Amino acid sequence: LSRDKSGAVQAALPYLSGRKMGLRYIIQPQLTQYNGIWYRYPKDGLTDSQRLTFEKQAADSIIRQLKALRIAYYQQNFAPSITNWLPFYCAGYRQTTRYTYRLPDIRDTDALFRRFNKNERQRRIGQLLPRSVLTTLSADEFADYQQLCRTLSAQHNLLPHDLVVRTCEAALNRKQGVCFALDSDDGERMAALFVPYDRQCAYYLIPALNPQFRDKGAMETLIWMAVRQLSTETRSFDFEGSMEPGIEQFYRSFGAEQIPFFRLSRCIVPCLT
């Protein structure tokens, strides 16, 4: 925490710490696209110079505390709203630009649908939509289905069942998340999606797709129905990014905008570079 002269918190850096071979490190937690520094600005209407001065003072305090932790390795993804990493650069940190994809305003769903790839995306959704039913699942139901889909797809990087349940339950209990499911009109489950959200943004966090429906537009239809359902709850929709060409093309086809964010890192132990 960084505090001002009165003791009020003016910045915070949540982090996950662990140890390996006796060395302490900080890395991104599972199922967490962004964390990084958070600022509480003293007032609205700061000039650019005042904002940068405030950010430097607060970040310098955070950086000093990170140094005191005596960590061997540090890596965090800063949220897209953080565009100033200069204090960390001056302290010897490195930065890699990564990208996510966002629908910046989902409140006008008619306009949003017109932005989709008209040749393929709209056709698939239009074909499946009349024969689909959107339902919601409990945390346990979603975790079970998510593991089933990964097993059917022969995916070996299974998320721990209890991690999925705890993550979903935390959001559901706060009424800041939904476990959506897409069923066919004859009752067969085609896909599911866990979406946490706040007033500013919803996040495409954990998808689950029955491989039998991979080429039938099930996930596209589910995403569209979920976005439409959330259009009165939040402002934007974040696809949680990807640097993989095939995946990012899928996200772009929804008319999503490419949004950069920073990955900051620092290695103190030479053998870990």
Side-chain angles (χ1 to χ4, degrees), residues 57-156:
Q57 292 173 345
D60 284 348
S61 172
I62 296 287
I63 291 167
R64 287 194 296 271
Q65 294 175 63
L66 283 173
K67 185 177 180 180
L69 292 176
R70 301 179 65 83
I71 55 176
Y73 181 71
Y74 169 92
Q75 184 185 89
Q76 283 190 304
N77 295 340
F78 281 29
S81 58
I82 303 300
T83 59
N84 173 25
W85 72 283
L86 183 59
F88 288 84
Y89 169 81
C90 295
Y93 289 73
R94 297 179 180 180
Q95 184 270 120
T96 301
T97 301
R98 299 182 66 83
Y99 296 99
T100 187
Y101 291 85
R102 280 190 178 183
L103 300 171
D105 192 341
I106 64 173
R107 293 171 295 179
D108 186 345
T109 54
D110 290 336
L112 185 64
F113 193 71
R114 290 193 294 269
R115 293 178 59 181
F116 290 3
N117 184 312
K118 295 183 180 180
N119 295 328
E120 182 66 17
R121 205 63 62 205
Q122 284 186 356
R123 182 183 66 80
R124 285 191 174 190
I125 294 173
Q127 288 179 343
L128 197 57
L129 197 60
R131 299 180 286 112
S132 305
V133 178
L134 185 70
T135 61
T136 57
L137 306 177
S138 69
D140 281 297
E141 289 172 331
F142 176 81
D144 289 343
Y145 183 73
Q146 190 263 345
Q147 290 216 325
L148 172 64
C149 289
R150 285 179 174 253
T151 301
L152 292 174
S153 301
Q155 296 181 6
H156 302 293

Side-chain angles (χ1 to χ4, degrees), residues 5-263:
K5 293 180 180 179
S6 68
V9 174
Q10 60 182 1
L13 185 81
Y15 63 86
L16 171 70
S17 178
R19 287 186 180 274
K20 187 174 183 178
M21 299 174 61
L23 301 175
R24 190 176 186 185
Y25 60 82
I26 289 174
I27 58 172
Q28 284 293 118
Q30 284 183 291
L31 301 178
T32 304
Q33 176 82 335
Y34 323 112
N35 45 18
I37 200 165
W38 168 85
Y39 294 107
R40 174 184 284 158
Y41 294 98
K43 61 180 180 179
D44 294 329
L46 293 176
T47 66
D48 283 346
S49 178
Q50 290 172 331
R51 177 181 60 81
L52 292 173
T53 298
F54 171 81
E55 290 175 357
K56 175 173 171 48
Q57 292 173 345
D60 284 348
S61 172
I62 296 287
I63 291 167
R64 287 194 296 271
Q65 294 175 63
L66 283 173
K67 185 177 180 180
L69 292 176
R70 301 179 65 83
I71 55 176
Y73 181 71
Y74 169 92
Q75 184 185 89
Q76 283 190 304
N77 295 340
F78 281 29
S81 58
I82 303 300
T83 59
N84 173 25
W85 72 283
L86 183 59
F88 288 84
Y89 169 81
C90 295
Y93 289 73
R94 297 179 180 180
Q95 184 270 120
T96 301
T97 301
R98 299 182 66 83
Y99 296 99
T100 187
Y101 291 85
R102 280 190 178 183
L103 300 171
D105 192 341
I106 64 173
R107 293 171 295 179
D108 186 345
T109 54
D110 290 336
L112 185 64
F113 193 71
R114 290 193 294 269
R115 293 178 59 181
F116 290 3
N117 184 312
K118 295 183 180 180
N119 295 328
E120 182 66 17
R121 205 63 62 205
Q122 284 186 356
R123 182 183 66 80
R124 285 191 174 190
I125 294 173
Q127 288 179 343
L128 197 57
L129 197 60
R131 299 180 286 112
S132 305
V133 178
L134 185 70
T135 61
T136 57
L137 306 177
S138 69
D140 281 297
E141 289 172 331
F142 176 81
D144 289 343
Y145 183 73
Q146 190 263 345
Q147 290 216 325
L148 172 64
C149 289
R150 285 179 174 253
T151 301
L152 292 174
S153 301
Q155 296 181 6
H156 302 293
N157 56 336
L158 292 176
L159 290 169
H161 186 275
D162 66 323
L163 173 64
V164 176
V165 170
R166 287 186 288 109
T167 302
C168 294
E169 282 184 342
L172 295 177
N173 290 340
R174 291 172 171 80
K175 301 187 184 303
Q176 287 186 286
V178 187
C179 296
F180 290 110
L182 185 71
D183 296 341
S184 65
D185 52 8
D186 60 3
E188 187 169 10
R189 183 143 296 154
M190 298 182 284
L193 176 64
F194 170 58
V195 185
Y197 64 90
D198 56 27
R199 288 177 294 178
Q200 299 301 317
C201 193
Y203 299 89
Y204 176 88
L205 189 58
I206 310 178
L209 175 64
N210 185 329
Q212 179 182 347
F213 299 97
R214 184 179 306 280
D215 299 322
K216 297 182 180 180
M219 186 53 71
E220 294 99 315
T221 304
L222 176 55
I223 290 171
W224 167 241
M225 295 178 78
V227 167
R228 192 169 58 182
Q229 188 88 355
L230 292 166
S231 63
T232 59
E233 302 291 336
T234 188
R235 175 182 294 272
S236 56
F237 186 89
D238 191 320
F239 281 95
E240 288 279 294
S242 178
M243 304 295 280
E244 296 293 329
I247 299 176
E248 66 90 22
Q249 189 278 331
F250 176 76
Y251 296 159
R252 280 193 288 110
S253 68
F254 287 89
E257 296 181 2
Q258 187 186 71
I259 305 294
F261 64 93
F262 296 151
R263 169 172 289 178

